Amino acid sequence: TTTTTTTNTATTATTTTTTATTITTTSVTTMTTASTTTSTPSNTRQDAPIRINCGGKTDFVDSAGHVWRKDAAVIGGVMSQVTRGIYGTDKLLWGTARIGTKKTPSFSYQLSSATGEYIVRLLFFESNKKLKGKKQRIFRVKVNGNVVEERLSIFAAVGLRKPLSKSYNITIGSTNQLSLSFETLSGHNYPSLSGIELTPV
């Protein structure tokens, strides 16, 4: 557990790793870049709960009935989608991702919500079988400027084609802003993010 005490930043970081309860994978996946469009963050506030289907071109309703908005409020990276090899009721959530590229190796999301205490949950999924060992993604995650993951490796945490969920307790202050940054580390492959969920404590 990591603790910080700054206002409008991540105050406590806790992590949880989920198993593939709703997803069964097969041995082959292919990943194709769907778009290089960057969405400019909006100043319009949308109070929590907020759910974003990162890399998704359309809204998605998960097996629990929650609506995940199409990818938005992001700078950098590109939209990506796994075209095969993922099965289950929520495959369209885990199978899409925002990933860094050579042109924009890092990316960030700028969200807005009411002042208060929240849990932000980030969804990760490594679908590319080539990105393991020395080639795996290792990247830094920041919440409101605070480092919550210095060297995150999806593959090291859960392996290939398995969902990873990490949650952090945060405080949103008077600016009503939440910044999430995913930074490429030198010598490693680019970050990947499948979903963002912001819920009140």
Side-chain angles (χ1 to χ4, degrees), residues 126-142:
E126 183 55 80
S127 60
N128 192 335
K129 63 182 179 180
K130 295 181 179 179
L131 300 185
K132 57 185 179 180
K134 293 182 179 180
K135 294 183 179 181
Q136 65 188 286
R137 305 179 197 275
I138 300 179
F139 53 95
R140 182 182 297 114
V141 180
K142 291 182 179 179

Side-chain angles (χ1 to χ4, degrees), residues 18-198:
T18 62
T19 57
T21 55
T22 60
I23 296 178
T24 303
T25 60
T26 58
S27 58
V28 179
T29 64
T30 59
M31 180 173 286
T32 57
T33 300
S35 172
T36 57
T37 302
T38 297
S39 173
T40 302
S42 171
N43 292 325
T44 303
R45 194 177 91 187
Q46 178 180 346
D47 292 341
I50 296 173
R51 297 178 178 90
I52 297 178
N53 179 20
C54 300
K57 290 183 175 182
T58 61
D59 293 351
F60 173 73
V61 180
D62 67 19
S63 55
H66 298 138
V67 177
W68 297 73
R69 293 161 37 204
K70 65 182 180 180
D71 207 0
V74 61
I75 298 175
V78 297
M79 302 170 75
S80 179
Q81 183 175 4
V82 176
T83 57
R84 59 181 182 177
I86 299 180
Y87 303 94
T89 54
D90 292 337
K91 65 180 180 180
L92 294 181
L93 176 60
W94 295 98
T96 58
R98 169 71 52 169
I99 61 173
T101 65
K102 184 177 181 179
K103 184 177 180 179
T104 55
S106 301
F107 57 88
S108 63
Y109 284 82
Q110 304 293 327
L111 307 180
S112 182
S113 191
T115 301
E117 304 295 320
Y118 295 88
I119 295 176
V120 59
R121 186 167 72 105
L122 305 178
L123 308 184
F124 304 95
F125 191 88
E126 183 55 80
S127 60
N128 192 335
K129 63 182 179 180
K130 295 181 179 179
L131 300 185
K132 57 185 179 180
K134 293 182 179 180
K135 294 183 179 181
Q136 65 188 286
R137 305 179 197 275
I138 300 179
F139 53 95
R140 182 182 297 114
V141 180
K142 291 182 179 179
V143 178
N144 280 344
N146 288 327
V147 176
V148 294
E149 301 290 342
E150 180 61 46
R151 293 176 59 85
L152 176 62
S153 167
I154 306 169
F155 180 80
V158 295
L160 184 66
R161 306 184 191 114
K162 294 180 181 179
L164 173 65
S165 171
K166 286 186 169 288
S167 298
Y168 313 93
N169 290 352
I170 67 165
T171 298
I172 294 181
S174 58
T175 62
N176 304 121
Q177 298 299 306
L178 171 61
S179 173
L180 302 170
S181 301
F182 304 85
E183 301 175 352
T184 298
L185 298 180
S186 178
H188 297 286
N189 274 295
Y190 308 120
S192 175
L193 178 67
S194 291
I196 301 170
E197 181 180 53
L198 180 70

